[in-house]
């Protein structure tokens, strides 16, 4: 990307909470000498430098220095980390009066003198590393460190001198339930713990139940923090873990310990800073800027996971959402949403405003694109070098879903649009789409061929209808003896017909020659040296260019020979016609003399010859009719086979939708059920019949929409059988049946080619959590419940971002906390979300990685929005917490008043 513009510099802005690989039990050089009888080579500074450099090399960005009862070498690590992307958290390790080991961590800015005072407060007055016990109990140490501004971790709880081994019975239960215990250290993952300990950690042991736990699935945070005494120890899987923070701080760790499901990952393998570890890489919005309009000068650096826009009404949240829709060239799905979008583009973004967006995708390989759009021009896509590509945003960044205010509610009114929500869960089979396109095209071809043949047959039938009358008149002339007297002229008429037939036989060859001429010379640009220059097999492929060149020259010669041959034939035919005309002229004199004699007998010889000529012209139509009948039969047979194949392909695709509905049902088990119905959306059929039927058609058409089990092939076959069959099959009146049975065969063939989309039925469990399910179909739900059901579908796994403006506007609040937020927390690690909201539950309970606070200044066209860098971050940053408290909770006083009223 170009490095001198605002969209690139936007990537230096805060992007909220991201994963940091943390080693939280790093020991200085004196640890090995004191506790393991080993001397660290090179002294304290060299030891610290080696460990810090190793951490930087393997992507560990946070080291907590926690020697036993000693803080003297913290400075060595801080000095070693200067200039490297490694942060040092100072601290120490204590043993409580019960013998439980505790890691005590303090803010990075804490001085060594302050650390010494904190350590002395626990009765540790020796200035060298030791294993002396503190005079304070485990619970008291947790409380004191909290009051000192630090944070504690119960160290190696499953091994010697750990919480689970040093205590038993009620003492262990009391220590476990301490309100200041936020985190424990184990050597692997939770599933690897012995069953009894695993039940305690997972909060499923009733005796150890911690009711203040964030969730029932985990009572406290679990970290891996194996003792690190050498640089190589850092590579051990249990030496580090991933902790998500906006910035490395004690508050960042505390928030992570409060919400480990969102912020802690034990396996650091394959860690990449910009991506959730252990998940598939998803496409994402990277940065966004505006020049001009209400958001002039604002820049945003997006987080790969949950981004939440907050702010008062009119602060610009909806403008950000609609800007994303506009720059990506996406259309709203609802009519009201379209009006809102157009209004914001015209009145808030305004003409001349330039929006720039950087997007990142990972399939088939990692790429970044820059998408630009200036109101009211179309979007422009650039590659990483800034070159303009001949592509649309959807070509480089597909499947993004954006919904404005109340747009989800609009979506619930259309079963067809609801079905589109299943598309991302349908197994991808490009061959099915190709086969469908081929069969549909062949069906259209056979329809056109049958219609053309039928039209020509009708024309021939009309022309041949006069033939019996002509033959009867000719018979009377023959009885009068005229045929014998005009025999030679009658034969001239037949000969003339023979001559006229010759050009007709040559015309297909003339057309064939012209078609061949248009294809010469053969286009060989794709085989040029320039086209093949980057291909390793270019020498082999270039041989095809020579072959096609020879073929092109050979065909050119053939066309010339073809043209010469036709020319010779046509010249010869001209000679034949010339000689025949001479013969005709000689006979014509005799013919005219006979006509004069016939006039004396009052017989019309010219009428006889005209009849003979007309019958001769009609005679070939008999042959043509027979040929057309044969062609029609072939087309009809081909169409019957194609129709069967077409129905099979549609059934195959419907089965894929059924499987997708089953997938969604399993993913949303207990919350949402989805059912799809074949040919559920009959609107295409109804619209086609409305065009084809005139008169009182409404009732007949309406009946078809109410038939429960409906088949297009059966409907077409029934119409072809006639009104009685239609009346009997569909239970309609004779007049209605006559209308349906009277549609043209071309219309019936068009109906055969229709693809009626499946209809989707969504059911939501409206029962409160813990109660027996109560399933209600979407049509019977409240507006909020409908939107909840659809939002749960939207939240499901996808490789592209989901962007929604104020989803809570259409949601029941209980569903937000009980259903939507848990789904959001689960899925935000698989895809990127961008929400605007007035509901604190979404950023707080959803643990948004990036919260952006917008503020509006001024009125009308002079108004503008701003986002302070202090208001770009996660809940672990004080300015962001205060902003949420003020904007979404109504301020501290209002929050405290509600808390007291509720009795919390």
């Amino acid at each position: 990307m170009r490095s001198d513009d605002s969209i690139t510099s936007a990537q230096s802005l805060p992007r909220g909470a991201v994963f940091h690989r943390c080693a939280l039990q790093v020991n200085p050089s004196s640890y090995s000498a004191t506790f393991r009888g080993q001397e660290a080579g090179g002294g304290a500074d060299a030891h610290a430098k080696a460990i810090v450099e190793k951490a930087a090399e393997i992507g560990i960005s946070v080291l907590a220095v926690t020697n036993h009862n000693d803080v003297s070498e913290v400075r060595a690590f801080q000095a070693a980390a200067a200039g490297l992307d490694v942060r040092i958290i100072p601290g120490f390790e204590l043993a409580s009066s019960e013998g439980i080991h505790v890691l005590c961590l303090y803010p990075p800015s804490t001085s060594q003198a302050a650390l010494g005072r904190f350590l002395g407060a626990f009765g540790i007055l020796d200035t060298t590393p030791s294993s002396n016990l503190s005079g304070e109990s485990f619970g008291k140490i947790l409380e004191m460190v909290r009051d000192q501004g630090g944070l504690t971790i119960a160290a190696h709880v499953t091994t010697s001198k750990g919480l689970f081994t040093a205590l038993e019975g009620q003492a262990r239960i009391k220590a476990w339930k301490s309100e200041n215990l936020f985190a424990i250290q184990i050597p692997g993952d939770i599933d690897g713990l012995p069953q009894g300990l695993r039940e305690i950690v997972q909060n499923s042991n009733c005796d150890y139940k911690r009711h203040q736990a964030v969730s029932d699935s985990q009572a406290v945070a679990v970290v891996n923090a194996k003792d690190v005494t050498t640089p190589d120890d850092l590579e051990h899987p249990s030496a580090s873990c991933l902790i998500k923070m906006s910035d490395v701080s004690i508050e960042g760790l505390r928030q992570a310990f409060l919400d480990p499901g969102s912020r802690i990952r034990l396996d650091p393998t394959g860690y990449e800073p910009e991506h959730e570890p252990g998940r598939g890489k998803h496409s994402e919005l990277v940065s966004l800027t505006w020049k001009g309009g209400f958001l002039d000068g604002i820049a945003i650096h997006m987080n790969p996971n949950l981004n939440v826009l907050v702010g008062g009404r009119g602060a610009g949240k909806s403008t950000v959402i609609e800007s994303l829709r506009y720059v990506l060239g996406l259309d709203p799905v609802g009519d009201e949403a379209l009006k809102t979008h157009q209004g914001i583009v015209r009145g808030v973004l305004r003409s001349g405003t330039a929006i720039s967006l950087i997007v990142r995708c990972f399939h088939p390989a990692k790429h970044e694109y820059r998408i630009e759009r200036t109101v009211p021009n179309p979007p422009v896509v650039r590659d990483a070098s800034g070159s303009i590509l001949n592509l649309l945003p959807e070509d480089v960044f597909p499947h993004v879903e954006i919904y404005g205010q109340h747009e989800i509610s609009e979506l619930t009114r259309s079963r067809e649009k609801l079905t589109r929500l299943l598309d991302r869960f349908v197994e991808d089979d490009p061959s099915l789409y190709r086969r469908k396109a081929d069969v549909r095209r062949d069906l259209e071809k056979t329809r056109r061929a049958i219609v053309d043949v039928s039209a020509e047959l009708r024309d021939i039938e009309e022309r041949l209808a006069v033939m019996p009358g002509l033959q009867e008149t000719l018979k009377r002339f023959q009885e009068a003896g005229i045929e014998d007297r005009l025999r030679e002229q009658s034969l001239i008429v037949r000969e003339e017909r023979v001559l006229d037939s010759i050009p007709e036989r040559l015309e297909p060859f003339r057309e064939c020659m012209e078609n061949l001429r248009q294809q010469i010379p053969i286009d060989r640009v794709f085989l040029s040296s320039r086209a093949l220059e980057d291909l390793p097999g270019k020498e082999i492929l270039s041989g095809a260019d020579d072959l096609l060149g020879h073929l092109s020259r050979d065909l050119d010669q053939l066309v010339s020979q073809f043209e010469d041959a036709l020319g010779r034939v046509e010249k010869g035919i001209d000679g034949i016609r010339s000689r025949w005309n001479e013969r005709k002229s000689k006979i014509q004199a005799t013919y005219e003399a006979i006509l004069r004699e016939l006039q004396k007998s009052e017989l019309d010889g010219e009428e006889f010859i005209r009849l003979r000529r007309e019958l001769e012209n009609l005679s070939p139509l008999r042959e043509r009719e027979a040929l057309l009948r044969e062609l029609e039969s072939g087309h009809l047979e081909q169409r019957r086979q194609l129709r069967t194949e077409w129905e099979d392909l549609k059934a195959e695709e419907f089965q894929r939708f059924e499987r997708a509905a089953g997938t969604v049902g399993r993913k949303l088990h207990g919350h949402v059920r989805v059912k799809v119905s074949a040919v559920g959306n009959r609107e295409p059929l109804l619209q086609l019949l409305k065009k084809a039927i005139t008169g009182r058609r409404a009732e007949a058409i309406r009946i078809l929409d109410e038939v429960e089990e409906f088949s297009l092939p059966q409907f077409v076959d029934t119409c072809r059988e006639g009104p009685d069959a239609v009346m009997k099959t569909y239970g309609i009146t004779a007049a209605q049946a006559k209308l349906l049975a009277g549609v043209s065969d071309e219309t019936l063939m068009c109906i055969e080619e229709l693809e009626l989309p499946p209809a989707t039925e969504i059911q939501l469990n409206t029962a409160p959590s813990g109660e027996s399910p109560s399933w209600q179909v979407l049509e019977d739900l409240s507006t909020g419940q409908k939107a909840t059901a659809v939002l749960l579908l939207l939240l499901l796994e996808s490789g592209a971002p989901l962007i929604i403006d104020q989803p809570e506007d259409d949601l029941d609040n209980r569903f937000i906390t009980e259903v939507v937020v848990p789904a959001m927390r689960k899925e935000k690690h698989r895809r990127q979300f961008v929400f605007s909201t007035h509901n604190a539950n979404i950023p707080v309970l959803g643990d948004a990685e990036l919260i952006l606070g917008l503020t509006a200044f001024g009125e009308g066209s002079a108004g503008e929005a701003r986002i302070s860098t202090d208001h770009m971050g996660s809940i672990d940053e004080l300015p962001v917490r205060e902003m949420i408290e003020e904007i979404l909770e109504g301020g501290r006083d209002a929050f405290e008043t509600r808390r007291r009223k509720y009795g919390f």
Side-chain angles (χ1 to χ4, degrees):
M1 300 290 175
R2 291 176 292 185
S3 59
D4 59 346
D5 57 8
S6 59
I7 187 65
T8 303
S9 61
Q11 296 185 51
S12 64
L13 292 170
R15 62 169 181 163
V18 295
F19 276 109
H20 298 266
R21 188 175 175 186
C22 306
L24 300 178
Q25 195 171 8
V26 177
N27 295 293
S29 61
S30 57
Y31 175 87
S32 296
T34 303
F35 299 103
R36 299 189 178 180
Q38 302 171 350
E39 291 294 334
D45 291 341
H47 175 79
K49 185 173 186 293
I51 286 184
V52 169
E53 288 179 348
K54 181 66 174 181
E57 176 190 336
I58 64 176
I60 293 178
S61 58
V62 179
L63 299 175
V65 182
T66 51
N67 198 6
H68 281 268
N69 295 346
D70 179 63
V71 296
S72 61
E73 295 184 45
V74 170
R75 284 178 180 169
F77 281 88
Q78 292 172 330
L84 297 177
D85 189 20
V86 178
R87 299 289 299 278
I88 304 299
I89 295 180
F92 45 80
E93 183 173 356
L94 286 177
S96 71
S97 59
E98 305 98 331
I100 304 172
H101 282 215
V102 183
L103 302 179
C104 305
L105 311 180
Y106 294 90
S109 60
T110 304
S111 67
Q112 189 160 305
L115 287 174
R117 290 194 298 272
F118 293 152
L119 182 58
F122 298 103
I124 307 298
L125 302 178
D126 193 353
T127 57
T128 58
S130 71
S131 56
N132 296 338
L133 299 181
S134 166
E136 305 294 346
S137 68
F138 176 72
K140 186 63 175 178
I141 289 176
L142 302 186
E143 180 183 347
M144 291 176 65
V145 172
R146 180 201 66 190
D147 293 341
Q148 290 170 345
L151 195 65
T152 52
I153 301 172
H156 42 79
V157 294
T158 62
T159 59
S160 175
K161 301 177 183 178
L163 172 60
F164 290 141
T165 57
L167 297 178
E168 294 181 348
Q170 289 298 318
R172 186 164 77 173
I173 293 174
K174 181 180 178 182
W176 178 256
K177 288 187 174 182
S178 171
E179 64 178 1
N180 293 312
L181 176 63
F182 292 131
I184 61 173
Q185 172 204 346
I186 64 174
D189 58 25
I190 296 174
D191 290 337
L193 292 172
Q195 182 177 353
L197 297 184
R198 186 170 68 248
E199 290 175 350
I200 295 173
V201 172
Q202 292 177 336
N203 219 26
S204 58
N205 184 312
C206 295
D207 293 333
Y208 288 81
K209 189 84 168 178
R210 285 172 56 102
H211 296 292
Q212 74 270 30
V214 172
S215 69
D216 287 339
S217 64
Q218 194 171 328
V220 296
V222 172
V223 299
N224 292 152
K226 175 184 179 294
D227 270 311
V228 173
T229 58
T230 68
D232 289 342
D233 288 340
L234 289 170
E235 293 188 348
H236 195 282
S238 293
S240 63
C241 60
L242 299 171
I243 300 178
K244 186 174 283 187
M245 299 177 276
S246 289
D247 193 15
V248 177
S249 66
I250 292 301
E251 180 59 23
L253 290 174
R254 189 180 78 87
Q255 287 292 338
F257 293 167
L258 284 172
D259 199 348
S262 175
R263 293 189 174 229
I264 297 179
R265 297 290 178 270
L266 296 183
D267 183 8
T269 306
Y271 168 60
E272 293 185 33
E274 71 248 17
H275 261 280
E276 173 73 12
R279 306 290 187 184
K281 296 173 180 177
H282 52 258
S283 62
E284 63 193 62
L285 310 165
V286 177
S287 54
L288 179 66
T289 62
W290 291 262
K291 291 181 180 179
F294 184 66
L295 300 176
D296 181 36
I298 286 183
I300 295 174
H301 187 193
M302 296 286 190
N303 189 281
N305 304 127
L306 176 57
N307 302 263
V308 177
L309 306 167
V310 301
R313 297 195 180 279
K317 302 185 300 299
S318 295
T319 308
V320 173
I321 301 296
E322 298 304 330
S323 293
L324 285 169
R325 192 188 325 247
Y326 188 70
V327 72
L328 289 170
L330 301 176
D331 293 325
V333 297
D335 294 336
E336 290 302 317
L338 178 61
K339 293 178 183 177
T340 300
H341 172 71
Q342 291 172 340
I344 288 176
V345 171
R346 286 194 304 266
V348 184
L349 288 177
R350 298 193 288 270
S351 181
T353 295
I355 308 168
S356 296
L357 172 68
I358 290 179
V359 299
R360 181 183 296 135
C361 53
F362 291 85
H363 297 287
K366 181 178 177 180
H367 284 286
E368 285 193 357
Y369 298 94
R370 173 176 177 156
I371 304 172
E372 301 170 336
R373 190 170 189 182
T374 301
V375 183
N377 300 325
V380 174
V381 179
R382 298 180 184 270
D383 63 14
S385 66
S387 300
I388 296 177
L389 305 176
N390 187 26
L391 296 170
L392 297 173
E394 64 183 19
D395 297 326
V396 299
F397 201 65
H399 310 307
V400 182
E401 296 176 278
I402 302 180
Y403 298 92
Q405 288 187 43
H406 308 294
E407 193 169 357
I408 292 177
S409 179
E410 271 198 88
L411 185 63
T412 64
R413 302 170 199 162
S414 167
R415 284 199 167 193
E416 180 184 359
K417 291 173 181 175
L418 290 175
T419 302
R420 284 163 46 190
L421 295 181
L422 297 178
D423 283 347
R424 84 170 87 114
F425 304 102
V426 175
E427 306 159 18
D428 189 28
D429 183 4
S431 69
L432 177 62
Y433 305 130
R434 184 173 59 254
R435 285 181 288 151
K436 281 179 59 182
D438 290 344
V439 173
R440 188 199 295 270
R441 183 174 59 252
D442 290 342
L443 279 169
E444 292 172 353
K445 285 181 179 178
T446 59
R447 169 166 48 88
R448 289 193 295 268
I450 291 170
V451 168
D452 290 344
V453 168
S454 298
E456 189 174 353
L457 278 171
R458 285 194 300 272
D459 180 62
I460 288 175
E461 289 170 355
E462 290 176 2
R463 293 174 64 186
L464 290 178
V466 302
M467 200 167 186
L470 294 177
Q471 289 174 331
E472 180 62 30
T473 304
L474 181 65
K475 182 179 179 181
R476 292 198 298 269
F477 276 108
Q478 290 171 335
E479 291 172 351
I482 292 181
E483 184 172 24
D484 291 337
R485 299 185 66 181
L486 295 178
R487 180 177 182 78
E488 197 168 12
Q489 185 63 28
S490 296
L491 295 176
I492 283 291
V493 170
R494 293 180 60 187
E495 290 175 0
E496 189 172 28
R497 178 58 199 164
V498 170
L499 280 174
D500 289 342
S501 297
I502 294 174
E504 296 175 5
R505 298 298 187 271
L506 294 179
E507 184 60 29
F509 298 100
R510 174 67 67 180
E511 292 177 359
C512 179
M513 183 190 69
E514 291 300 328
N515 290 335
L516 186 57
R517 187 190 298 280
Q518 291 176 10
Q519 302 302 320
I520 300 173
I522 299 173
D523 181 9
R524 298 173 4 244
V525 173
F526 71 104
L527 290 171
S528 67
S529 57
R530 182 174 180 180
L532 300 178
E533 62 182 352
D534 296 329
L535 300 179
K538 58 185 178 182
E539 292 184 4
I540 299 172
L541 297 175
S542 62
D545 184 56
D546 294 335
L547 290 173
L548 292 184
H550 286 303
L551 176 62
S552 188
R553 290 189 292 273
D554 290 344
L555 290 175
D556 191 50
Q557 292 177 4
L558 285 174
V559 169
S560 296
Q561 293 172 7
F562 199 164
E563 188 170 22
D564 290 344
L566 283 175
R568 287 194 298 271
V569 170
E570 290 171 347
K571 184 177 181 181
I573 296 301
D574 288 342
I576 291 172
R577 182 176 290 276
S578 178
R579 293 197 302 274
W580 183 83
N581 284 334
E582 291 176 4
R583 177 176 178 276
K584 179 182 176 182
S585 298
K586 294 176 181 178
I587 295 172
Q588 188 70 16
T590 304
Y591 168 63
E592 291 175 358
I594 295 172
L595 285 180
R596 287 193 292 271
E597 291 181 16
L598 289 174
Q599 286 176 358
K600 297 176 182 178
S601 306
E602 297 185 352
L603 293 174
D604 191 347
E606 286 188 355
E607 175 66 13
F608 170 77
I609 294 301
R610 185 189 65 76
L611 284 172
R612 175 61 73 184
R613 183 177 287 112
E614 194 165 350
L615 285 169
E616 287 294 334
N617 289 336
L618 289 176
S619 196
L621 294 182
R622 291 291 189 189
E623 298 176 8
R624 180 64 178 166
E625 181 182 32
L627 176 62
L628 289 174
R629 294 292 181 195
E630 187 176 345
L631 282 173
E632 183 181 47
S633 178
H635 292 322
L636 289 172
E637 178 57 32
Q638 182 186 8
R639 186 172 180 85
R640 276 191 290 271
Q641 295 177 8
L642 288 170
R643 191 176 81 162
T644 300
E645 187 176 356
W646 177 237
E647 292 302 319
D648 289 343
L649 289 172
K650 289 193 293 184
E652 182 180 342
E653 185 168 46
F654 175 71
Q655 290 162 9
R656 290 151 59 84
F657 270 102
E658 278 192 315
R659 290 194 292 271
T663 299
V664 170
R666 288 190 295 273
K667 288 177 177 289
L668 296 177
H669 179 69
H671 298 301
V672 172
R673 296 193 304 202
V674 180
K675 178 183 177 183
V676 290
S677 303
V679 298
N681 181 356
R682 298 171 198 173
E683 188 60 27
L685 170 63
L686 303 183
Q687 291 300 323
L688 185 56
L689 288 173
K690 285 179 182 177
K691 294 179 181 178
I693 299 176
T694 57
R696 302 182 63 181
R697 63 195 180 192
E699 186 65 21
I701 293 174
R702 185 184 64 80
I703 290 292
L704 296 180
D705 202 25
E706 296 174 355
V707 176
E708 187 171 347
E709 296 294 333
F710 184 80
S711 163
L712 276 178
Q714 181 190 37
F715 172 71
V716 171
D717 292 342
T718 304
C719 288
R720 285 182 174 139
E721 290 177 27
D724 291 343
V726 174
M727 184 170 58
K728 180 180 178 181
T729 302
Y730 299 106
I732 59 179
T733 66
Q736 294 165 356
K738 186 177 180 181
L739 286 175
L740 291 176
V743 299
S744 68
D745 200 54
E746 182 177 3
T747 298
L748 292 178
M749 286 190 287
C750 288
I751 292 174
E752 288 176 331
E753 297 164 17
L754 285 177
E755 184 175 10
L756 302 184
T760 299
E761 178 184 280
I762 296 177
Q763 297 179 352
L764 178 70
N765 178 15
T766 58
S769 179
E771 296 186 9
S772 299
S774 175
W775 296 102
Q776 302 289 326
V777 297
L778 200 68
E779 289 79 3
D780 296 337
L781 297 174
S782 68
T783 300
Q785 290 170 330
K786 289 178 181 178
T788 298
V790 173
L791 182 57
L792 287 175
L793 285 176
L794 294 175
L795 288 173
L796 283 177
E797 184 176 356
S798 170
L802 173 64
I803 303 161
I804 306 178
D805 190 4
Q806 294 180 202
E808 74 276 4
D809 286 355
D810 294 316
L811 300 183
D812 292 342
N813 208 43
R814 176 174 69 84
F815 281 102
I816 293 178
T817 55
E818 292 185 2
V819 181
V820 174
V821 167
M824 185 188 308
R825 287 171 59 87
K826 178 182 178 182
E827 296 299 330
K828 70 175 183 174
H829 303 301
R830 311 178 205 265
R831 69 188 299 197
Q832 186 181 46
F833 294 131
V834 180
F835 296 155
S836 76
T837 187
H838 291 290
N839 189 307
N841 290 323
I842 291 178
V844 178
L845 298 186
D847 191 35
E849 279 74 11
L850 177 61
I851 301 169
L852 298 163
L854 286 89
T855 306
F857 299 92
E859 298 289 339
S861 60
E864 60 180 20
R866 287 288 176 263
I867 305 178
S868 167
T869 53
D870 288 340
H871 293 164
M872 297 178 174
S874 182
I875 196 76
D876 55 7
E877 295 186 284
L878 180 60
V880 175
R881 288 202 306 279
E882 291 176 340
M883 174 189 66
I884 293 174
E885 186 178 73
E886 184 65 31
I887 294 176
L888 302 184
E889 302 285 8
R892 180 177 293 273
D893 291 342
F895 178 79
E896 286 296 323
T897 299
R898 289 197 302 275
R899 184 182 65 81
R900 289 194 298 270
K901 282 181 173 288
Y902 286 131
F904 295 151

